[in-house]
Amino acid sequence: MIEDLPGVGKTTLAYCLAEAMDSDFKRIQFTSDLLPTDVTGVSIYDERERSFVFRKGPIFSNIVLADEINRATPKTQSSLLEVMDHGRVTIDGETYSVGEPFIVLATQNPVDYEGTFPLPESQMDRFLMRLQMGYPSMDSEMDILAGENAGYDDLEFSNPVSRDEIVNIRETVSKVYLEKSILEYILGIISATRTESEFKAGISVRGSLALKNAAQARALYYGRDFVLPEDVNQISSSVLSHRLNLRRPSSDAIEERRLVEGIVSRILAVVPQPK
Amino acid sequence: MEKTMSEFLPTEAMNASREVFTRLKTLIGSRIKGKDEAIDKILICLAAGGMP
């Protein structure tokens, strides 16, 4: 989930990731009249075959960009639940698998409220991380202004990474070693969110598994085959904050995000790290 | 990226992962300027495989 103000490069980042991989990529522009079948697909009657045939929707890709996901109704947002959990779609009693590897990237703007439907907690819990882009530095923006390659319309990379290479990396991530003390550290952080009085509810078991996976992936990203406490610490805010809601919600989404992240930072400062 | 230290996994798997991460970061970084942290995290998401 990439959440930030309009025009800071959320969609461009998603396009870049898709182009950097030799994979199927579909962008779905979420709007209030988008139907679940526009995402997953629909069974239509084939006159010649005299039977119903399934027409696959755009979700059947390796990378799916759900652009401005909070503009769709909760019913359409929920059409992503099964596929994000299990990588498959069930329609009319038939189950269809989506691409492998499969990743859903979603963007949303935290400021615009008009015509939006906030994602329910069960949906937010299915996103591994929430990322922010932020404004670029002056130097970076100067490069963007001076360059000819802004945007993503003409985007094409030579030598992209293959699907098999991504599948292999994911397999390697699952084998990155976690010492018992690291698992206890993860559990300590998760438990602290569950007893924190300012949160409506703590982190789910899905959330704790997400933190473990993300820590293993971070370790491998930085060239290690074992997880350090800093892998957990550095990734915790991005993995946990979007899964937590304040007991007394703020009317300002950005302010609420800041408050939640502040409490998560406080928890990280208090929970003892393994030596 | 740091030098590969391989105790628990085969060196080939570690080297292959490092090569793929470097290639992805170089390709994305050629278009997205000054957003290293966001790129690092999105690649970590990709490697983690989305949701468990």
Side-chain angles (χ1 to χ4, degrees), chain A residues 3 72 82-83 110-112 134 146 156 174 186 188 201 203 211 237-238 273-274:
Chain A
E3 187 184 278
E82 184 189 10
V83 74
V111 176
D112 268 356
E156 202 177 324
S174 66
I186 291 173
I203 292 293
L211 184 55
S237 188
S238 301
Q273 285 192 26

Side-chain angles (χ1 to χ4, degrees), chain A residues 122-161:
Chain A
S122 59
Q123 182 73 65
M124 288 302 272
D125 201 25
R126 282 166 170 84
F127 284 100
L128 181 71
M129 284 191 209
R130 178 176 61 190
L131 312 178
Q132 283 121 50
M133 298 289 290
Y135 291 116
S137 66
M138 295 284 268
D139 286 346
S140 301
E141 196 156 357
M142 181 55 85
D143 284 347
I144 294 167
L145 290 173
E148 291 171 1
N149 59 350
Y152 46 80
D153 291 337
D154 60 340
L155 198 59
E156 202 177 324
F157 292 137
S158 58
N159 196 21
V161 169

Side-chain angles (χ1 to χ4, degrees), chain A residues 2 12 22 25 51 54 75 86 92 101 117 130-131 143 179 191 200 217 227 230 234 250 252 256-257 259 261 267:
Chain A
I2 312 172
T12 306
D22 182 19
F25 170 65
S51 64
F54 179 61
K75 189 177 175 181
H86 306 292
D92 296 336
F117 302 88
R130 178 176 61 190
L131 312 178
D143 284 347
E179 214 176 67
S191 302
K200 205 160 74 176
V227 176
E230 68 168 66
Q234 293 294 312
S250 163
D252 181 338
E256 173 146 354
R257 188 170 77 190
L259 288 169
E261 286 171 356
I267 287 171

Side-chain angles (χ1 to χ4, degrees), chain A residues 39-50:
Chain A
V39 176
T40 56
V42 65
S43 289
I44 54 165
Y45 190 70
D46 187 325
E47 262 312 322
R48 278 178 300 180
E49 299 284 328
R50 295 196 174 273

Side-chain angles (χ1 to χ4, degrees), chain A residues 126 128 131 133-135 140 149 151 154-155 157 159-160 165 170 175 206 217 221-225 238, chain B residues 1-2 4-9 14 21 23 25 27 30-31 34-35 40-41 44 46-47 49-52:
Chain A
R126 282 166 170 84
L128 181 71
L131 312 178
M133 298 289 290
Y135 291 116
S140 301
N149 59 350
D154 60 340
L155 198 59
F157 292 137
N159 196 21
E165 285 175 305
R170 288 180 169 189
K175 292 174 188 159
R206 185 187 283 122
Y221 186 74
Y222 288 104
R224 278 177 279 105
D225 55 359
S238 301
Chain B
M1 257 159 255
E2 291 164 20
T4 301
M5 294 163 57
S6 190
E7 270 179 70
F8 303 100
L9 286 171
M14 296 298 291
F21 282 135
R23 196 144 43 106
K25 188 164 183 180
L27 291 172
S30 69
R31 188 58 72 108
K35 291 287 155 212
D40 291 343
K41 284 185 176 167
I44 289 168
L46 179 71
M51 278 309 302

